[in-house]
Amino acid sequence: MGILDSFKQIGAWFSGRLAGEQECEIARLRDDFGLIRVSEMGELRYLYFGEATEQSCGLIDDPAWLEYDYTRAMLLAGFWLEDIDRALALGLGGGSLVSAVLAHLQPRRVTAVELRPGVVEVARRWFGLPYDPRLEVLIDSAENVVPREQASADLVLLDLYMEGGITALQLRMDFLEQCHQALRPGGLMVVNQWQLGHTGKPYAAERLQKLFGDRYLQAEVEEGNIILFIPAAGELPLDQAAMRRWADSLEQQLGYSLRPYVEVLRRAEDAIPADDCR
């Protein structure tokens, strides 16, 4: 899909909103963890956990389209990882992020771990998660899988959420450390965390500092999430001029710009509370 086609589809979605178009439920199912719903409006399709927790959103005709800012920001990993042999994605949702990684970062292998069988079913049927020979989907708990993944991945994507929000597992020091230990030398862990109030800091900030110091990079996005970029060792270079050029080279392919996330990228130690920004 070209950039103009993508903008047209998003324009159609806004037009539908303005015209009072209603969101229509197209599927619902239950698994051992609760209700899963799928709805659509215009060109967009939504995944809900329970009645009201919006979990994923994507373009019906483009499974690799990323609608949320936080998922787009996670693609910045590609700037530092030009050659990805294996990616480990913890948490699947509708599968848009995994589809985007396959399409745009071109890893040779991706293992996606999802606790809920119903979520995998929905991602395949309603969100176009591809049957790609590079993609392995494990239905299991990340808590079970990660300890077996020592030094196995160049990229670890940590995005574990349930109906009530971020999982307790994603805040545990031992689990965060195990995820980090799954990285190969030169690898990168990308974590989708919530912001702690208006502090400019993520949930579990003190635990993260104890584990990784405060020189890792982070990007705050509109939804209230903070995306953390934590290398296997040392610190990531922060060359925003080079990153802007890299983002511009991908814009036509993606259909949107990654520049907004480059602009807010900073060291964790330099984070400015939102209320103090001018």
Side-chain angles (χ1 to χ4, degrees):
M1 176 183 295
I3 186 169
L4 293 179
D5 293 328
S6 296
F7 286 150
K8 286 177 183 177
Q9 290 195 325
I10 295 303
W13 174 74
F14 280 114
S15 297
R17 289 274 187 175
L18 293 173
E21 185 174 343
Q22 296 297 307
E23 193 173 328
C24 176
E25 183 177 286
I26 58 174
R28 68 166 49 209
L29 67 150
R30 288 187 178 274
D31 61 13
D32 291 341
F33 302 93
L35 175 66
I36 300 168
R37 299 195 308 114
V38 181
S39 66
E40 61 184 41
M41 184 175 64
E43 301 295 334
L44 291 175
R45 189 164 283 166
Y46 303 87
L47 170 66
Y48 289 91
F49 288 170
E51 293 291 349
T53 303
E54 186 179 319
Q55 180 67 22
S56 297
C57 175
L59 281 175
I60 294 170
D61 294 332
D62 184 0
W65 172 269
L66 296 179
E67 180 68 11
Y68 296 144
D69 284 311
Y70 83 86
T71 51
R72 294 181 182 185
M74 292 175 85
L75 286 186
L76 293 181
F79 173 77
W80 297 285
L81 297 176
E82 295 182 1
D83 183 32
I84 302 172
D85 180 57
R86 182 168 181 258
L88 177 63
L90 305 175
L92 180 65
S96 298
L97 180 60
V98 167
S99 294
V101 167
L102 285 166
H104 304 302
L105 302 190
Q106 293 293 311
R108 284 181 281 282
R109 294 178 293 156
V110 176
T111 299
V113 181
E114 172 54 52
L115 177 66
R116 305 179 65 172
V119 170
V120 176
E121 177 185 340
V122 163
R124 292 288 197 192
R125 181 174 181 183
W126 297 106
F127 289 86
L129 182 70
Y131 289 94
D132 189 308
R134 295 173 295 165
L135 175 61
E136 173 189 31
V137 179
L138 301 180
I139 300 175
D140 203 343
S141 168
E143 188 173 16
N144 294 333
V145 173
V146 169
R148 307 195 297 262
E149 293 288 342
Q150 297 290 303
S152 67
D154 304 293
L155 173 63
V156 173
L157 300 167
L158 182 50
D159 187 21
L160 298 174
Y161 285 75
M162 296 289 277
E163 182 177 349
I166 193 169
T167 65
L169 182 63
Q170 188 161 309
L171 302 175
R172 276 177 24 193
M173 282 186 73
D174 61 332
F175 180 71
L176 289 167
E177 187 169 25
Q178 288 172 347
C179 290
H180 193 248
Q181 290 170 349
L183 293 173
R184 293 171 175 161
L188 178 62
M189 181 167 78
V190 183
V191 186
N192 173 29
Q193 291 280 48
W194 275 351
Q195 183 173 184
L196 185 61
H198 298 287
T199 63
K201 297 182 180 296
Y203 274 49
E206 291 185 5
R207 297 170 215 174
L208 288 160
Q209 184 177 25
K210 287 178 182 178
L211 288 170
F212 311 119
D214 56 7
R215 296 286 295 169
Y216 62 84
L217 299 178
Q218 67 179 50
E220 300 168 40
V221 298
E222 290 293 331
E223 293 103 346
N225 306 60
I226 295 183
I227 308 305
L228 315 179
F229 300 89
I230 303 171
E235 65 179 53
L236 295 171
L238 180 53
D239 184 344
Q240 285 171 303
M243 293 191 76
R244 291 184 194 104
R245 293 191 294 272
W246 172 81
D248 291 346
S249 73
L250 286 177
E251 185 170 350
Q252 185 170 4
Q253 176 183 338
L254 293 171
Y256 46 81
S257 176
L258 297 181
R259 269 194 176 225
Y261 319 109
V262 173
E263 300 302 332
V264 296
L265 196 63
R266 63 194 63 173
R267 302 273 174 211
E269 65 181 358
D270 298 327
I272 303 170
D275 288 345
D276 292 342
C277 293
R278 297 292 183 265

